[in-house]
Amino acid sequence: MSRGGYCFGKYRTYGDFRGRKIRTKIRVRLFLLLLFCVVLSLEIGFLTNKSAEQKNQEEESVLTAELAGYLQILSFSPAETKAWLLADMGTYLTGADVDLILDFLELDSFAESLRAEVSFEDREEISRRKWCVIYEKMIDYLELSDQVQVVTIQYLGMLADENRVMADSGNYDCDPASVNFVYGETYEVYISGNLLLGLRAGTEETEADGTVSEEPDMFIEVSVPDTVRVLLTQDNNESVYRDSVRIKGSQPLQISGGDHTYEADADDVTDCASLMDEWEVNELVAEACEDGKICVVNEEGSAVSSWYRGSFHLYRNESGIWIVNEADLEEYLYGVVPGEMPESFAEEALKAQAVCARTYACYLVAKSGYAEYNADINDTTDCQVYLPSKENEKATAAVEATRGMVLEYQGFLATIYYFSTSCGYTSGMEVWQAEEIPYLAGVSLLSGENAYVTVTGEENDENGNEETLISEEDGEAAGVDFDSFLRDSEVEAYDASSRYFRWEAKLDMASVQEEVKQALAAELKKGSSKVTLSDGAGESMNDTAGLGEYVSMSVAERNSSGVVTDLRIKFADGYADIYHENMIRAILGLAMKELTDKNGDFVYTLDMLPSAAISIDCADDGTCYVYGGGLGHGIGMSQYGADGMAQTGKSCEEILEIFFPGTEISKS
């Protein structure tokens, strides 16, 4: 800017000074007034949109598939709900379906009182707000309210093959088919312990105890705690509450509660519920002397849990007793690393896993997602698997070699994801339709001297392609021919030893086209961006009923890592495009008839595709053959890839720099 002119409050000093000064003041005031109006209109628009979104969520119809999640509080497994109830229902929950549920549960008296309070017609599609009123009244009538909490979570992805949701406050077990959230969005949900039951909408009739109201904090300061408090559930079928607890120590136990103290000899069984009654307290602390360990035992005194380091904090309320193991953070990791990675993996891979596990533990401690239990985390896949019984020398050595080390990015704890196996490349956040995170961009795991790719450019042949072999270093700038790449079982990559590095699936899309349409309709009903429909002319559609019969499907778009980011399903009168890796895997899983790994062995444990890095061949009869690579979402660190790198001599630091470029290791 020239020296003669300034903005706001400084005026030109030549010509008609007074006139220019007045005109400038007027212009400034008009500009500020206009700016204020723009900001005000944007704020009003934001609040209006937010209110509209909330209202849409409350008024949307509930899918009957979601009942498999909600009814888990009644001790029905999702499979039982689907077999006993959902077979007699349509896509959306109706008033007649509510009556069917109450009749099945033999809640005749409750049904009469409910009808007097909440009106609904047999053919009426039940809104989420109305269903939540019914649901809360029902669990209150069944005296289950104290087992259900309402919390606010930010959804960070689904691990469907492990039946769990990832959230900012921790991870939750769930029925994958009954949870359909959008990455990065915030939801109010019902939970029981670590089990996510379903989405909650405002009921205006019940207050939600324990609701988290603050916005999730995406910037966690780097801090490594000395201890971690772990909610123990594995020995109790992953249930939090127990009717009774008996414990013993490998060394004498010092047990205290209130003003009372008691010392139990080594191997003596202590009935904690009886001790609480005797001392009239609802909290006990048990510590083993001389570095001893503690375990949970049955009436005969036989151990039914791992032997734990540190201390036990036992709490009791009207729901029962629960146990929190307070342990040194590093000793906690002794039991985490072997729970997440096999002992057979190389030392440097185990060290990389230890750093990732420590970073994630620090994040969870900072978020305090289990504060209602006086704990930081739990011992299952909801957080990280904690198995002290699997402690081994290699895992413990890896933890000690990385003691205090966490990954940080620009002064904050890094967001860490890891998964089983890549196809040869890892992915970025775009596969979840999420905003890019710089250190979670896709990287190459190809390990051979050459990489099989297709180069694109001006010098290509008349078809625009030229197949060639080029060096791995040059491969980053080249486009990979993934249709060939994903069918090539001889590709050299760091995680090629995994049985899921390459796999094949046989699908029968024609036989499940109605189920596919229902799943698409359900997603559209939620206003999700994962799916769009269009007619033959490319015009947007809102209803799957107009699509017609299934014809074929193809890959419309994929990212540079090979993961499909637009799967196009062609129908007689339109198209469906699916953009989210998890939903692509789930939709195609509906049609999956056979799945074989790279060795040709059948896989019976997965009900969705192992990954969305796929190539597809379709026949006229509706049969499709899918060729894929990898297992999991593909973001962050491939565990088999880390092992492969370590086998070739790469260090822990080099492995982490490859998977999380730009991060730094911080040592407390």
Side-chain angles (χ1 to χ4, degrees), residues 57 60 70 128 132 181 187-190 197-201:
Q57 186 183 83
E60 70 180 0
Y70 285 110
R128 189 168 305 280
C132 289
F181 297 162
Y187 298 93
E188 196 173 62
V189 296
Y190 298 105
L197 302 169
L199 178 64
R200 182 186 189 267

Side-chain angles (χ1 to χ4, degrees), residues 248-254 266 286-295 307-312 325-326 331:
K248 72 178 181 181
S250 61
Q251 297 290 334
L253 287 181
Q254 188 81 17
E287 298 181 82
C289 303
E290 301 176 5
D291 296 325
K293 297 182 180 180
I294 315 173
C295 74
W307 285 87
Y308 293 92
R309 302 169 187 270
S311 60
F312 273 10
N325 171 215
E326 184 171 14
E331 293 181 347

Side-chain angles (χ1 to χ4, degrees), residues 243-248 253 255 269-279 281 283-284 286 312 314 316 321 323:
D243 294 329
S244 63
V245 174
R246 295 173 177 83
I247 62 174
K248 72 178 181 181
L253 287 181
I255 304 174
V269 175
T270 299
D271 186 331
C272 296
S274 297
L275 201 57
M276 287 177 169
D277 290 339
E278 180 183 340
W279 290 352
V281 297
E283 180 177 349
L284 297 175
F312 273 10
L314 298 104
R316 181 171 66 175
I321 301 173
I323 308 171

Side-chain angles (χ1 to χ4, degrees), residues 177-193:
S178 62
V179 176
N180 207 342
F181 297 162
V182 177
Y183 179 88
E185 294 297 318
T186 300
Y187 298 93
E188 196 173 62
V189 296
Y190 298 105
I191 66 167
S192 177

Side-chain angles (χ1 to χ4, degrees), residues 618-640:
C618 288
D620 293 338
D621 63 357
T623 302
C624 292
Y625 294 90
V626 178
Y627 305 87
L631 173 62
H633 50 70
I635 301 173
M637 185 178 80
S638 161
Q639 291 169 311
Y640 272 89

Side-chain angles (χ1 to χ4, degrees), residues 12 84 213 315 327 355 359 369 414 416 449 504:
R12 297 180 186 270
W84 298 342
S213 58
Y315 303 92
V355 175
T359 305
I416 296 302
E449 292 183 1
E504 296 181 18

Side-chain angles (χ1 to χ4, degrees), residues 112-123:
E112 293 179 9
S113 63
L114 178 67
R115 280 283 191 177
E117 297 181 57
V118 183
S119 62
F120 51 87
E121 302 297 328
D122 286 352
R123 295 186 178 182

Side-chain angles (χ1 to χ4, degrees), residues 66-78 81 85-86 89 101 104-105 131 135 138 197:
E66 296 178 71
L67 296 176
Y70 285 110
L71 298 187
Q72 289 177 99
I73 190 60
L74 305 179
S75 298
F76 294 151
S77 71
T81 298
L85 284 172
L86 301 192
M89 298 181 182
I101 294 169
F104 178 78
L105 298 175
W131 164 247
Y135 184 65
M138 180 175 69
L197 302 169

